[in-house]
Amino acid sequence: MSLPHDDAIITPQVAASLKRGNYERAEVLATPKFLEPEDRVLELGAGLGYISSYAAKVIGVSHVTCVEANPKLAEYIRGVHEMQGLENTEVRNCVALPGGAEMAPDKTMPFYIREPFWSSSLDPGRDAIAVENIAQEYLSDLIADAGATALIVDIEGGERDIFKGGDLGSVRKIYVELHTRYIRPKGIKACFDALSAHGFYYDQRVSHGGVVLFRKL
């Protein structure tokens, strides 16, 4: 896959990782083990659009909807998908909310942009170079709109709370990157507990290290 060049996004570190074949390597190795052509994927935290492109182009899933809070990255992902010639993808620039969360009156929330791009998040506690007000959408609504059967989640600590409450609807597989340095052991337990309450179990055959697959019982 080819990626558009942008010095602000394809940093030397990212470029070196891409050249070595190490960028998102765990996801590249794992996704063919659980995604199938009939799957409709909802990806939370879509990064460069690399995994969504891989799922749509190489695995050949039915459709991928990317949710990316960083507006610059959302636009970049659209360019990545266009470069691959993909017509079965959609990019939404918004923040997913758990079912139990209260939406702001203006239906937006601050998103803190940092360098490098992958450290941007909803957390105001670390140095930010910019703050953008991003539209809010409930996860259950995003799932319903996408008709999602699989979730891929890499949201820099947001996995602690995103599955609390709400309705996961048609989703049967959830692949989550755990960010222990942000959410700590209690946050890991909260994530597992929330998914267990929705009827999902840990699939050890695909899980590896900090990336974990959950399947619906």
Side-chain angles (χ1 to χ4, degrees):
M1 294 185 295
S2 300
L3 299 179
H5 182 71
D6 185 326
D7 286 334
I9 294 175
I10 306 297
T11 63
Q13 182 180 356
V14 171
S17 181
L18 286 166
K19 288 177 181 177
R20 291 192 304 265
N22 291 335
Y23 185 77
E24 303 286 20
R25 182 170 176 78
E27 289 82 351
V28 168
L29 293 174
T31 46
K33 298 178 182 178
F34 69 88
L35 290 180
E36 300 169 352
E38 60 269 23
D39 275 321
R40 295 181 64 86
V41 178
L42 178 64
E43 184 182 19
L44 306 183
L48 296 180
Y50 189 85
I51 294 302
S52 55
S53 295
Y54 182 79
K57 185 175 182 178
V58 180
I59 300 175
V61 299
S62 175
H63 192 272
V64 182
T65 299
C66 296
V67 172
E68 176 52 56
N70 188 326
K72 183 173 178 62
L73 277 180
E75 189 59 33
Y76 182 83
I77 294 164
R78 293 186 182 101
V80 170
H81 291 171
E82 183 178 356
M83 182 174 280
Q84 315 313 316
L86 297 173
E87 297 182 352
N88 58 339
T89 62
E90 176 188 5
V91 181
R92 300 185 63 166
N93 180 209
C94 63
V95 174
L97 293 181
E102 183 176 351
M103 191 173 286
D106 65 353
K107 297 183 179 181
T108 69
M109 68 189 306
F111 182 77
Y112 299 88
I113 297 173
R114 299 179 172 85
E115 292 182 347
F117 72 85
W118 58 79
S119 62
S120 300
S121 72
L122 299 172
D123 179 9
R126 293 169 287 134
D127 293 339
I129 60 172
V131 181
E132 298 274 358
N133 287 324
I134 305 300
Q136 297 174 310
E137 297 283 353
Y138 283 115
L139 176 59
S140 55
D141 291 338
L142 291 167
I143 289 170
D145 289 349
T149 59
L151 297 182
I152 297 175
V153 182
D154 183 0
I155 49 176
E156 299 297 318
E159 68 274 9
R160 178 188 62 197
D161 299 319
I162 192 62
F163 304 113
K164 291 180 179 178
D167 181 5
L168 300 185
S170 53
V171 172
R172 294 295 176 266
K173 295 167 281 192
I174 302 177
Y175 191 63
V176 183
E177 181 166 346
L178 301 171
H179 298 84
T180 309
R181 67 189 181 279
Y182 297 151
I183 66 176
R184 306 300 181 186
K186 287 184 178 179
I188 301 296
K189 183 178 185 301
C191 176
F192 275 65
D193 287 350
L195 285 171
S196 179
H198 284 290
F200 285 80
Y201 71 94
Y202 167 79
D203 184 345
Q204 67 179 29
R205 295 171 299 176
V206 178
S207 303
H208 177 74
V211 281
V212 179
L213 178 68
F214 297 88
R215 291 185 187 269
K216 183 81 170 182
L217 277 173

